[in-house]
């Protein structure tokens, strides 16, 4: 016989004590051997609304909720809990096999009045008045729920009806309410179905794998040993399609925070490893922008049991330097400007202007060099005179360009004399070199958090692999663009237009309430999809609700720090571990103040910006370092009108477009910080509230 386990049941199993998890392991072994054994105690319960639901005994205290088939030998395990809680969970649940979508659906039984036909007048006012009954059924609405859907007039009523609808049906209805084309949704559903009419094969459809996985001993043992997490097992059909599809070239995947972009990229890595051209010994490279994210990816990749000899997970700066050193493009002693433990390029420009008079100041010249000359890999005065400067503010004359180029030449000589190279200059050198060699360095390229990159890094990534099927898988969120860099795939020589630009929409991480607050921080700002079009978050849906975030402004810093401690203690009383909690600030100085206070009151902490700090406790971080991570509870501290957005000393010297780009990146940064929270978000500050935080609905 076959036993399929629901994803929510897995979540519950993860929470059970180890001793009970082992009993669940033994139970499912016995059940799959003989489901009719007296020791199983598979019993119908007269009070259950669904007559096909059964209880089964795990031990004297715990029960499993099982759906027995009307025919055949396929069972579904929906829940595991204490006896009374398991009974309460199952009492009003309905389990239904939906032939239209090939999915097993679970939802709360409808109240009697919800099943009654609605009048023509009500149908006209319905949120879904334009959809036929056939279309509703095709996107997953159970036949008994059609009248309920017809009665819904707005999003609030749809949200209130969520528990009475299967998850896939609610999701598709939400998309329709946000303007999605219903025929495209139906096509996506059909793509996730098998062609077989055999129910035993339909249970293995991509659509059904979203919520159910077939149980075996190895799977359960890995759960009990702590080797598995839910993300390793379950993929939404839209995610699985991206993971397993064969693409004619490069692919761009975007999505809001929490939509599983990194999970998809990791599963894509696993899939690409399975495509093996045994004669191609080159590795697959998986890269991202920050060291913290790279370390996190390394940990996650190990959980997928990937062959480490065939992959390289590396920070993109380290990768560029590694290739440059190997090809002897720079000496090992060369230092890269604007990187940790090196000199800021601003200082070199300041020194240069102390010795050379110019009508231009350091911010302008540095911006011109980085955002025009290096961005476009300009190598000569002739090319500089011809290149476009769109976005650089006021135009400059040909004569001024010639004067700037003379200063650039002096700047380059100064760098060479002192053993420096600009970061973007290094990338350009490596990209140019890679195009000259017979075989590119890697089989495939996967890059996460691509919104942190610029065209310079994109050209570098393009140079790492020849153009071919599945060559590049590039993942990011335009709304998390916290660095004001210019990014355009077409300009970087990467074609991802049309069917090779994909978007994920389901937020698995944060509650709907936290998601709404995050979106309010970026409201009214147009974000580019990296290819000249506007990125839209229509249909960006969180799958669960939670408590409302709060924003508390105190009079003094000591009061704020005491409020943070009180919140930590409150969370501990609610059974949150210290490791479940993160405190993040915009600046390093603010993090230091929190650290000193926690030390004073003897609360354990771990500063993730310090790679040597591997201790346990509340996680401390800047907003930037929090990127790519998630916590059950996030406390944002020192949030006020001075820090969010943060106005630094040279802000007023920036060009108008640079100012606008910077302020947009500050909005993205608070969006990133907010969306690290899974269920609890508390914001603290002193003085005047930040305009970026709006708690109104």
């Amino acid at each position: 016989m076959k036993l399929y386990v629901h994803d929510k049941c897995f979540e519950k199993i993860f929470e059970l004590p180890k001793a009970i998890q082992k009993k669940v392991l033994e139970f499912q072994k016995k059940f799959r051997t003989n489901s009719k054994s007296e020791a199983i105690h598979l019993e119908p319960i007269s009070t259950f609304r669904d007559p096909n639901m059964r209880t089964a005994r795990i031990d004297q205290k715990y029960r499993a909720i099982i759906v027995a088939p009307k025919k055949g030998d396929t069972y579904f395990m929906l829940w595991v809990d204490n006896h009374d809680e398991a009974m309460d969970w199952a009492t009003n649940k309905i389990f239904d096999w939906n032939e239209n979508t090939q999915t097993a659906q679970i939802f709360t039984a409808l109240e009697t009045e919800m099943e009654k036909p609605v009048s023509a007048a009500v149908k006209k006012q319905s949120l879904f008045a334009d959809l036929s009954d056939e279309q509703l059924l095709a996107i997953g609405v159970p036949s008994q729920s059609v009248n309920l859907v017809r009665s819904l007039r707005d999003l609030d009523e749809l949200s209130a009806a969520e528990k009475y609808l299967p998850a896939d049906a609610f999701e598709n209805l939400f998309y329709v309410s946000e303007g999605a084309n219903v025929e495209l949704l139906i096509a996506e559903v059909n793509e996730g179905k098998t062609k077989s009419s055999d129910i035993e094969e339909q249970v293995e459809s991509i659509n059904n794998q979203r919520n159910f996985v077939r149980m075996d001993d190895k799977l359960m043992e890995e759960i009990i040993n702590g080797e598995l997490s839910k993300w390793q097992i379950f993929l939404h059909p839209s995610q699985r399609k991206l993971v397993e599809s064969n693409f004619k070239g490069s692919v761009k995947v975007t999505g809001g925070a929490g939509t599983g972009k990194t999970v998809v990229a990791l599963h894509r890595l696993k899939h690409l490893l399975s495509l093996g051209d045994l004669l191609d010994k080159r590795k697959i490279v998986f890269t991202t922008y920050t060291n913290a994210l790279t370390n996190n990816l390394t940990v996650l990749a190990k959980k997928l049991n990937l062959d480490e000899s065939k992959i390289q997970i590396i920070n993109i700066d380290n990768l560029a330097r590694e290739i440059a050193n190997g090809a002897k493009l720079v000496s090992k002693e060369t230092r890269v400007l604007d990187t940790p433990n090196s000199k800021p390029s601003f200082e070199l420009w300041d020194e240069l202007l102390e010795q050379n008079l110019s009508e231009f100041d350091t911010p302008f010249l540095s911006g011109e060099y980085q955002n025009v000359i290096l961005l476009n890999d300009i190598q000569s005065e002739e090319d500089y005179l011809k290149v476009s400067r769109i976005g650089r503010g006021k135009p400059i004359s040909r004569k001024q360009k010639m004067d700037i180029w003379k200063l650039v030449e002096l700047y380059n000589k100064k760098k060479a004399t002192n053993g420096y190279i600009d970061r973007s200059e290094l990338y350009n050198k490596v990209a140019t070199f890679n195009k000259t060699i017979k075989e590119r360095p890697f089989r495939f390229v996967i890059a996460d958090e691509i919104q942190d990159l610029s065209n310079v890094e994109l050209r570098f990534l393009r140079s790492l692999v020849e153009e071919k099927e599945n060559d590049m898988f590039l993942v990011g969120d335009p709304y998390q663009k916290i660095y004001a860099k210019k990014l355009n795939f077409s300009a970087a020589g990467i074609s991802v237009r049309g069917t090779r630009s994909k978007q994920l929409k389901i937020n698995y991480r944060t509650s709907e309430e936290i998601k709404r607050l995050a979106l309010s921080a970026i409201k009214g700002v147009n974000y580019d999809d990296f290819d000249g079009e506007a990125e839209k978050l229509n249909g960006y849906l969180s799958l669960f609700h939670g408590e409302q975030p709060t924003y508390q402004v105190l009079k003094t810093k000591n009061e704020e720090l005491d409020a943070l401690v009180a919140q930590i203690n409150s969370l501990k009383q609610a059974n949150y571990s210290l490791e479940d909690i993160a405190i993040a600030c915009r600046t390093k100085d603010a993090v230091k103040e929190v650290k000193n206070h926690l030390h004073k009151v003897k609360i354990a902490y771990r500063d993730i910006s310090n790679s040597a700090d591997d201790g346990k406790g509340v996680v401390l971080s800047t907003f930037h370092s929090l990127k790519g991570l998630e916590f059950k509870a996030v406390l944002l501290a020192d949030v006020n009108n001075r820090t969010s957005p943060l106005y630094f000393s040279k802000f007023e010297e920036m060009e108008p477009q640079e100012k606008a780009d910077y302020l947009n990146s500050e909005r993205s940064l608070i969006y990133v910080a907010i969306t690290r929270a899974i269920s609890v978000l508390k914001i603290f500050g002193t003085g005047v509230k930040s305009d970026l935080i709006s708690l109104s609905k």
Side-chain angles (χ1 to χ4, degrees), residues 254-323:
T254 60
T259 52
K261 298 180 296 296
T262 299
V263 167
V264 167
L266 285 162
H267 280 276
R268 180 67 175 175
L269 176 60
K270 184 176 182 177
H271 175 73
L272 291 175
L273 283 172
S274 71
L275 300 179
D277 175 357
L278 298 178
L279 297 178
D280 192 340
K281 303 298 182 184
R282 291 176 297 171
K283 293 183 177 182
I284 302 172
V285 67
F286 193 141
T287 188
T288 191
Y289 185 63
T290 68
N291 283 317
L293 284 173
T294 304
N295 295 337
N296 190 45
L297 286 170
T298 302
V299 171
L300 294 176
K302 286 182 178 179
K303 291 187 175 184
L304 288 177
N305 297 317
L306 304 181
D307 185 343
E308 294 184 23
S309 68
K310 296 180 180 179
I311 63 175
Q312 184 174 11
I313 298 175
I314 185 171
N315 162 270
I316 193 168
D317 282 347
N318 293 339
L319 178 60
R321 184 63 191 246
E322 182 180 281
I323 296 174

Side-chain angles (χ1 to χ4, degrees), residues 354-379:
E354 285 176 5
Q355 302 165 354
N356 298 271
L357 293 176
S358 172
E359 64 179 292
F360 301 108
D361 58 12
T362 290
F364 177 85
L365 289 170
S366 176
E368 187 76 2
Y369 185 62
Q370 294 290 337
N371 300 320
V372 178
I373 295 172
L374 290 181
L375 183 72
N376 295 287
D377 196 15
I378 301 298
Q379 299 294 326

Side-chain angles (χ1 to χ4, degrees), residues 558-682:
N558 284 337
E559 287 181 354
E560 180 188 3
L561 294 170
D562 288 342
L564 282 170
V565 171
Q567 185 61 57
I568 292 170
N569 290 331
S570 176
L571 289 167
K572 284 170 63 180
Q573 290 176 2
N575 295 320
Y576 285 75
S577 70
L578 291 181
E579 290 72 29
D580 291 332
I581 306 167
I583 301 177
C585 308
R586 175 64 181 86
T587 66
K588 291 180 180 179
D589 287 343
V591 173
K592 188 175 181 180
E593 284 184 311
V594 173
K595 185 188 299 186
N596 291 339
H597 193 72
L598 293 186
H599 180 76
K600 180 180 175 182
V601 297
K602 296 182 170 55
I603 292 179
Y605 60 83
R606 177 171 69 92
D607 185 351
I608 61 172
S609 64
N610 180 2
S611 59
D613 186 349
D614 57 358
K616 300 288 186 180
V618 175
V619 171
L620 302 183
S621 173
T622 61
F623 288 177
H624 284 87
S625 295
L626 207 61
K627 204 166 189 296
L629 305 177
E630 61 183 53
F631 301 89
K632 291 182 180 178
V634 171
L635 314 180
L636 303 183
D638 195 41
V639 178
N640 53 53
N641 67 334
R642 302 181 307 279
T643 60
S644 295
L646 181 69
Y647 293 99
F648 60 99
S649 58
K650 294 185 180 290
F651 176 77
E652 292 302 329
E653 300 175 23
M654 297 171 72
E655 294 292 320
Q657 186 59 51
E658 289 177 324
K659 283 184 180 180
D661 290 343
Y662 173 77
L663 291 175
N664 284 348
S665 70
E666 287 290 289
R667 286 181 174 274
S668 291
L669 186 58
I670 197 73
Y671 166 85
V672 167
I674 289 170
T675 54
R676 301 309 98 191
I678 295 173
S679 54
V680 175
L681 176 71
K682 304 291 183 182

Side-chain angles (χ1 to χ4, degrees), residues 139-388:
I139 61 174
V141 176
S143 57
Q144 63 265 46
S145 304
V146 169
N147 288 329
L148 167 64
V149 173
R150 290 284 181 219
S151 72
L152 304 175
R153 293 169 296 182
D154 53 39
L155 276 174
D156 288 337
E157 289 190 1
L158 176 60
S159 295
E162 182 176 355
K163 70 177 182 178
Y164 299 107
L165 293 164
D168 56 329
F170 175 80
E171 175 189 315
N172 284 329
L173 289 170
F174 181 85
Y175 290 158
V176 171
S177 72
E178 290 272 287
N181 184 310
V182 69
E183 293 303 327
L184 291 179
L185 292 176
I186 292 171
E188 289 178 5
V189 170
N190 289 334
E191 285 178 1
K193 294 160 62 174
T194 69
K195 295 180 180 179
S196 174
S197 59
D198 182 356
I199 186 71
E200 300 291 324
E201 292 185 30
Q202 290 182 7
V203 172
E204 295 287 350
S205 73
I206 287 176
N207 288 344
N208 201 47
Q209 287 181 52
R210 167 190 175 170
N211 293 119
F212 284 91
V213 65
R214 186 175 174 181
M215 177 59 72
D216 59 42
D217 294 345
K218 184 175 183 294
L219 187 64
M220 182 58 77
E221 286 173 357
E222 287 179 337
I223 292 170
I224 291 171
N225 293 332
E227 297 169 2
L228 276 182
S229 299
K230 183 180 171 182
W231 68 268
Q232 297 167 253
I233 306 169
F234 296 97
L235 288 174
H236 186 274
S238 62
Q239 293 177 319
R240 191 172 296 280
K241 184 179 177 183
L242 287 172
V243 167
E244 298 178 357
S245 289
N246 186 52
F247 297 102
K248 291 183 179 179
S250 303
V251 182
K252 177 195 71 174
V253 179
T254 60
T259 52
K261 298 180 296 296
T262 299
V263 167
V264 167
L266 285 162
H267 280 276
R268 180 67 175 175
L269 176 60
K270 184 176 182 177
H271 175 73
L272 291 175
L273 283 172
S274 71
L275 300 179
D277 175 357
L278 298 178
L279 297 178
D280 192 340
K281 303 298 182 184
R282 291 176 297 171
K283 293 183 177 182
I284 302 172
V285 67
F286 193 141
T287 188
T288 191
Y289 185 63
T290 68
N291 283 317
L293 284 173
T294 304
N295 295 337
N296 190 45
L297 286 170
T298 302
V299 171
L300 294 176
K302 286 182 178 179
K303 291 187 175 184
L304 288 177
N305 297 317
L306 304 181
D307 185 343
E308 294 184 23
S309 68
K310 296 180 180 179
I311 63 175
Q312 184 174 11
I313 298 175
I314 185 171
N315 162 270
I316 193 168
D317 282 347
N318 293 339
L319 178 60
R321 184 63 191 246
E322 182 180 281
I323 296 174
N325 287 347
K328 297 183 179 179
L329 302 178
V330 296
S331 72
K332 291 184 178 180
E333 290 75 30
T334 301
R335 290 165 291 174
V336 183
L337 293 167
D338 299 322
T339 58
N341 304 317
S342 186
K343 195 170 187 174
S345 57
F346 255 65
E347 289 188 16
L348 256 66
W349 281 109
D350 281 339
E351 293 170 9
L352 184 71
L353 290 180
E354 285 176 5
Q355 302 165 354
N356 298 271
L357 293 176
S358 172
E359 64 179 292
F360 301 108
D361 58 12
T362 290
F364 177 85
L365 289 170
S366 176
E368 187 76 2
Y369 185 62
Q370 294 290 337
N371 300 320
V372 178
I373 295 172
L374 290 181
L375 183 72
N376 295 287
D377 196 15
I378 301 298
Q379 299 294 326
S380 68
E381 181 182 53
E382 180 183 0
D383 288 339
Y384 177 52
L385 293 174
K386 292 186 293 186
V387 73
S388 169

